[in-house]
């Protein structure tokens, strides 16, 4: 979870749907800083996220969910 101003951002990856194809990391302008791919995709650092949502749009199996103003956990 990451806070940008008043917006709390969270990126969730549905591990059951993720195929670890790497499209999220490839399309992301800061992919090498944000994404780690092994058996599934993992968000490793949201400090670099621009909230462009390209990762979610490029995800074929629809495994990525961008949540703005996520509840503070």
């Amino acid at each position: 979870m990451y806070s940008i101003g008043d917006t709390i951002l969270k990126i969730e990856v549905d591990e059951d749907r993720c195929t670890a194809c790497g499209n999220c990391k490839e399309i992301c302008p800061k992919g090498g800083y944000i994404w780690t791919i092994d058996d599934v995709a993992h968000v490793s650092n949201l400090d670099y996220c621009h909230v462009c949502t390209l990762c979610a749009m490029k995800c074929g199996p629809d495994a990525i969910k961008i949540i703005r103003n996520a509840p503070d956990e």
Side-chain angles (χ1 to χ4, degrees):
M1 193 165 328
Y2 180 69
S3 184
I4 303 171
D6 291 336
T7 302
I8 297 173
L9 173 70
K10 184 175 181 183
I11 298 178
E12 289 183 351
V13 177
D14 183 337
E15 294 185 6
D16 292 331
R17 291 179 145 196
C18 180
T19 62
C21 66
N23 286 343
C24 51
K25 185 175 181 177
E26 181 180 314
I27 194 73
C28 177
K30 299 290 183 176
Y33 296 106
I34 297 173
W35 293 97
T36 302
I37 311 293
D38 48 39
D39 293 339
V40 295
H42 300 280
V43 177
S44 54
N45 189 347
L46 282 177
D47 290 343
Y48 297 95
C49 183
H50 296 175
V51 197
C52 65
T53 71
L54 289 172
C55 56
M57 288 187 282
K58 182 75 173 181
C59 183
D62 202 25
I64 298 173
K65 190 183 300 183
I66 310 276
I67 303 170
R68 292 186 176 122
N69 295 321
D72 193 9
E73 297 175 348

